[in-house]
Amino acid sequence: MTLREELARHLHSNFVSVDAERLGGLGKHYKGKVRDLFIGDDEIVMITSDRLSAFDVVLTSIPCKGAILNAIAVNAFAQTADICANHLIEVPHPNIVRVRKADALPIEIVVRRHVTGSLWRDVEADRHGVYEVPLPEGIRKDQRLDDIIITPSTKAEIGVHDEPISRRVILERGLVSEAVLDKAYDVARKLFLRGEALAAEQGLILVDTKYEMGLIDGELILIDEIHTADSSRYWIASEFDARFAAGEPQAMLDKENIRQWLIGQGYMGEGEIPHFPDDVRLDLAEVYCRLHERLLGRPFVPPARDVAETVYEALAV
Ligand SMILES: Nc1ncnc2c1ncn2[C@@H]1O[C@H](COP(=O)(O)OP(=O)(O)OP(=O)(O)O)[C@@H](O)[C@H]1O
Ligand SMILES: [Mg+2]
């Protein structure tokens, strides 16, 4: 069977939700856009589903996406643990991590090497000033920046869009103390440079990424996910120059593929959700598999069994 055929076997049985009642003994249930959390006193059981969100809306599911994201994040946590402590305790199942519970900072720290995606849309609409981060004159879509920049956003409640914000306004509103924010920015820059170097070894450009951090007993730790295809953009390095010179879209190994497809359908987070043909879902599943193979140096192997069943087995419920 080809990889696509194996992924197709999961198209209609993929892992979209968990039975929260059955898992209730693990802690208080919180349903994020992609993850289901069971929150205990000091620890969280975090289950990564196959749900796909874009523009802050859950839209469909992508076969095996949860396991792929989890594998990439677990790998990247190991590769960056010397820079910043992270929340990972153990991986009881390909879709599950047991983590330390933190007080999440109410911001997301977005680090960028290139000007693209929402920042490019902001530049075009001349609203990028909100970040209070200077950009070079005459910037073009996808252009590389000599120095990475941080364009933070607020972390909104479910159903509300994250809002762009500046370092100054984060401090003015007292969202994070200056000492913690300075540390978070410093760590985020170091993490990005590490992720960028590791990606480059695999012929990839880490274009931009989003970090979430939290505090445990006053110590800053990395939480949620890191350097995945959901939280980052990756481009094929060898194709960058020619495509940039020609003004063509980059070869993308991330969620941006589906954002572009959605924009083509006239969807940007408002109104009726378009129907996702199976081929579009499989195309994205293959993209996530290719990124897994590059970053981990081994192919992703789709599970033989139904994911939900093995999740309940692993958690002994
Ligand atoms: N170690 C941790 N301690 C506390 N919260 C955490 C930890 N790791 C992740 N989280 C939180 O768990 C949630 C993960 O869920 P998910 O990734 O599905 O959500 P999201 O799409 O990022 O945002 P939302 O929660 O607003 O839906 C996030 O709100 C994240 O901040
Ligand atoms: Mg998240």
Side-chain angles (χ1 to χ4, degrees):
M1 242 196 291
T2 64
L3 175 63
R4 195 173 178 92
E5 284 164 350
E6 280 189 65
L7 291 166
R9 290 197 314 139
H10 289 270
L11 263 177
H12 302 290
S13 67
N14 55 0
F15 183 51
V16 182
S17 59
V18 294
D19 182 343
E21 240 166 71
R22 195 165 165 183
L23 296 174
L26 298 171
K28 188 173 170 301
H29 182 221
Y30 169 84
K31 186 169 180 174
K33 287 185 287 278
V34 174
R35 300 182 171 77
D36 282 85
L37 274 59
F38 292 87
I39 305 172
D41 291 339
D42 303 313
E43 293 181 8
I44 302 176
V45 174
M46 197 160 90
I47 306 175
T48 306
S49 76
D50 293 341
R51 296 192 289 274
L52 174 87
S53 81
F55 305 111
D56 285 333
V57 185
V58 177
L59 297 169
T60 182
S61 59
I62 304 298
C64 301
K65 172 173 168 284
I68 297 171
L69 290 182
N70 212 35
I72 294 174
V74 166
N75 183 59
F77 278 134
Q79 289 171 328
T80 55
D82 60 314
I83 297 173
C84 179
N86 61 61
H87 68 170
L88 186 63
I89 301 171
E90 64 155 351
V91 189
H93 176 280
N95 288 73
I96 309 174
V97 283
R98 199 156 64 80
V99 302
R100 292 189 286 156
K101 180 166 100 180
D103 269 333
L105 305 186
I107 57 166
E108 301 191 338
I109 300 174
V110 179
V111 185
R112 302 176 186 265
R113 172 63 81 188
H114 291 259
V115 176
T116 192
S118 67
L119 180 58
W120 175 249
R121 292 194 285 276
D122 289 343
V123 168
E124 277 191 305
D126 199 22
R127 45 168 196 249
H128 58 289
V130 59
Y131 297 112
E132 301 178 16
V133 172
L135 292 175
E137 281 295 309
I139 189 98
R140 285 173 52 202
K141 178 175 183 292
D142 298 344
Q143 187 171 321
R144 184 181 192 281
L145 299 170
D146 290 338
D147 297 313
I148 52 178
I149 58 169
I150 297 184
T151 55
S153 67
T154 59
K155 216 181 126 41
E157 300 294 317
I158 284 190
V160 183
H161 293 294
D162 298 338
E163 295 291 341
I165 194 168
S166 67
R167 184 181 182 284
R168 184 181 60 81
V169 176
I170 291 172
L171 296 176
E172 201 173 271
R173 289 197 199 157
L175 296 178
V176 182
S177 76
E178 186 159 15
V180 170
L181 192 61
D182 282 348
K183 173 86 181 152
Y185 267 45
D186 180 51
V187 161
R189 285 200 185 86
K190 288 178 176 145
L191 290 170
F192 189 92
L193 296 177
R194 174 72 56 82
E196 177 175 63
L198 290 163
E201 285 172 16
Q202 308 307 325
L204 297 176
I205 296 172
L206 178 60
V207 178
D208 53 34
T209 198
K210 175 209 80 175
Y211 301 107
E212 290 189 39
M213 297 181 202
L215 295 170
I216 299 178
D217 298 331
E219 188 199 1
L220 190 71
I221 66 160
L222 193 55
I223 64 170
D224 205 47
E225 62 182 336
I226 156 172
H227 296 165
T228 74
D230 268 16
S231 69
S232 323
R233 286 191 180 79
Y234 286 96
W235 293 339
I236 307 284
S238 59
E239 300 193 23
F240 175 77
D241 285 341
R243 287 174 181 263
F244 182 67
E248 285 171 9
Q250 291 298 319
M252 306 173 284
L253 281 189
D254 56 58
K255 199 165 91 170
E256 187 66 20
N257 281 284
I258 211 115
R259 285 199 203 93
Q260 292 305 324
W261 182 82
L262 283 162
I263 292 171
Q265 306 290 306
Y267 184 83
M268 283 185 71
E270 313 286 339
E272 203 179 321
I273 295 173
H275 167 74
F276 284 80
D278 286 352
D279 271 340
V280 170
R281 293 166 64 211
L282 286 173
D283 285 348
L284 193 65
E286 283 190 327
V287 164
Y288 276 54
C289 286
R290 284 209 290 279
L291 185 67
H292 177 292
E293 182 153 1
R294 290 256 192 157
L295 294 179
L296 277 76
R298 55 186 152 83
F300 174 76
V301 181
R305 292 179 54 205
D306 180 69
V307 176
E309 271 174 36
T310 56
V311 161
Y312 298 132
E313 277 173 23
L315 295 171
V317 292

